[in-house]
Amino acid sequence: SPRETPRCRDALHYDGKRPLLFHAARLSRMQYQLGADFSSPLNPRVRAAGILLVWFAGVLLVAALMAPGAYHLGQWLAGEVPFLKGLGSQPFHRYLNRCLLLAALAGLWPLARAFRLTSARVLGLTGLAAGRRELGFGLVVGLGCLLVVALLMALAGVRGFNFSHDPRVLMELALKATLSAVIVAVLEELFFRGVVFGALRQVLSVPTAVLASSVIYAALHFLARVEHSGPVAWTSGFALLPAMLAGLIAAENLAPAGLTLAIAGAVLALAYQRTGNLWFAVGLHAGWVFWLKVFKTVTSPGAQPTNAFWGTDKLLDGWLAALVMVALLAGVACWLHLPQTAATPDATDRGSPRL
């Protein structure tokens, strides 16, 4: 039973002499602490983990429900609208992937509100005019570090540069890679660093928040690509989800590719922590994505066979890329501990709300 003081007992027992409202008001003023005995505020770490898990489950549920309808709509549009004829040839798993992306984008703002990250500044989106220098610096570093990987693979004879393509093909490739780099870098940095890392560092130490957000970042890149066969029913999306989620724990994804992505996530989180905004991380990420999009086309297999150290035409699936990321991580960690300049706002003083 709750702890009762003599004053509590006096307030709880109506003596018949004074108005009942007097006793109610007296009890309210004393703030009788029933909650202190039977309940306690939810642990902020548990709350943060719960919000992220509920958000992820909600995205999967919404996407699985949307995908069959989107697929059938695409089939109908392909037959009715001539310039949308290509929709009819798209497999169901493509629709599911797009629905996952749309559901994640739609849920981004509610997720940010749940963590009270409700302003652009708190999310790391300061003015681009002020961040263009950091954006450019990050882009140069991102392009440069993977250029090192590509050059070492070429010198070892594992891959060779191939610029014999038609200039129009190379120009189209560069434009598509640039567009992908901009979209992917902005969206992923806003989600993984602005929201996920921004929320976790409210309730965890910075090193722990960096580690946790980096693992989440790496894991979500390994949702397995699965295919659907047979007619599409309203349950088809749910039928594919287990196979997609199996990629998160597949042993072949853990090293070196998973480790490389986790280190890359740590680099991006520390860069955000240092600069106080997302622009350096966006530039860095965009440089990586650009290389990933063009590498297979602008190189060809060399005389030497590929192996686990060099990796393949995916560029980030070898131990060489992991070592380059480790060197970059060390550099950013050293940068993090350098004194802040007047032009670089203190990353720890952004008014981030606490859970």
Side-chain angles (χ1 to χ4, degrees):
S1 63
R3 296 187 298 271
E4 295 183 1
T5 64
R7 290 184 64 200
C8 289
R9 283 194 295 269
D10 291 342
L12 285 170
H13 293 89
Y14 177 53
D15 58 13
K17 298 178 181 179
R18 297 173 181 172
L20 185 60
L21 288 177
F22 169 83
H23 292 271
R26 185 179 180 188
L27 183 60
S28 176
R29 287 195 302 271
M30 288 189 299
Q31 296 179 349
Y32 188 62
Q33 308 227 339
L34 288 172
D37 297 276
F38 296 115
S39 64
S40 61
L42 187 62
N43 186 301
R45 298 177 183 180
V46 175
R47 179 179 182 273
I51 290 173
L52 288 173
L53 287 173
V54 168
W55 180 88
F56 182 60
V59 167
L60 294 177
L61 174 64
V62 170
L65 290 172
M66 287 175 54
Y71 174 81
H72 290 298
L73 177 62
Q75 302 303 305
W76 179 81
L77 289 174
E80 297 293 329
V81 184
F83 68 88
L84 295 178
K85 186 169 57 176
L87 293 177
S89 61
Q90 298 298 316
F92 174 69
H93 68 270
R94 289 275 184 89
Y95 284 90
L96 179 58
N97 291 338
R98 298 301 180 268
C99 288
L100 282 170
L101 179 60
L102 289 175
L105 290 176
L108 188 59
W109 179 242
L111 179 64
R113 283 182 59 86
F115 288 118
R116 301 170 191 164
L117 302 170
T118 54
S119 72
R121 181 172 177 268
V122 171
L123 286 170
L125 294 176
T126 58
L128 180 57
R132 63 181 181 274
R133 182 178 178 181
E134 291 167 346
L135 178 66
F137 181 40
L139 182 61
V140 170
V141 173
L143 291 171
C145 67
L146 289 191
L147 176 61
V148 170
V149 177
L151 289 174
L152 290 175
M153 292 179 72
L155 290 173
V158 177
R159 301 287 299 181
F161 286 98
N162 177 20
F163 296 107
S164 62
H165 301 283
D166 186 285
R168 289 175 298 180
V169 173
L170 293 176
M171 182 62 70
E172 183 180 356
L173 175 66
L175 289 175
K176 288 182 178 180
T178 300
L179 182 61
S180 294
V182 171
I183 294 174
V184 171
V186 171
L187 292 180
E188 289 198 1
E189 289 312 301
L190 183 60
F191 174 67
F192 287 109
R193 258 57 65 180
V195 177
V196 175
F197 175 64
L200 292 176
R201 68 180 176 182
Q202 294 175 9
V203 296
L204 301 171
S205 65
V206 170
T208 306
V210 168
L211 177 62
S213 64
S214 301
V215 170
I216 294 172
Y217 169 72
L220 291 184
H221 278 78
F222 288 108
L223 286 172
R225 296 185 178 184
V226 295
E227 296 185 4
H228 175 79
S229 59
V232 175
W234 74 271
T235 57
S236 297
F238 294 100
L240 291 185
L241 287 181
M244 294 182 68
L245 294 174
L248 300 179
I249 56 174
E252 61 270 18
N253 292 334
L254 297 180
L259 178 62
T260 302
L261 282 174
I263 298 170
V267 169
L268 294 164
L270 288 177
Y272 176 35
Q273 180 69 18
R274 163 68 191 197
T275 61
N277 61 66
L278 290 175
W279 296 121
F280 178 85
V282 167
L284 185 63
H285 200 150
W288 293 342
V289 173
F290 183 87
W291 260 115
L292 293 176
K293 293 297 182 181
V294 304
F295 182 71
K296 184 176 181 178
T297 302
V298 301
T299 63
S300 57
Q304 301 298 320
T306 60
N307 54 44
F309 178 78
W310 297 109
T312 67
D313 56 15
K314 295 180 180 179
L315 193 59
L316 288 180
D317 59 346
W319 288 106
L320 173 63
L323 291 175
V324 170
M325 287 297 172
V326 168
L328 184 58
L329 177 62
V332 173
C334 292
W335 181 36
L336 181 69
H337 291 89
L338 291 177
Q340 296 278 359
T341 64
T344 305
D346 186 355
T348 62
D349 184 22
R350 287 190 292 276
S352 296
R354 307 291 293 185
L355 285 179

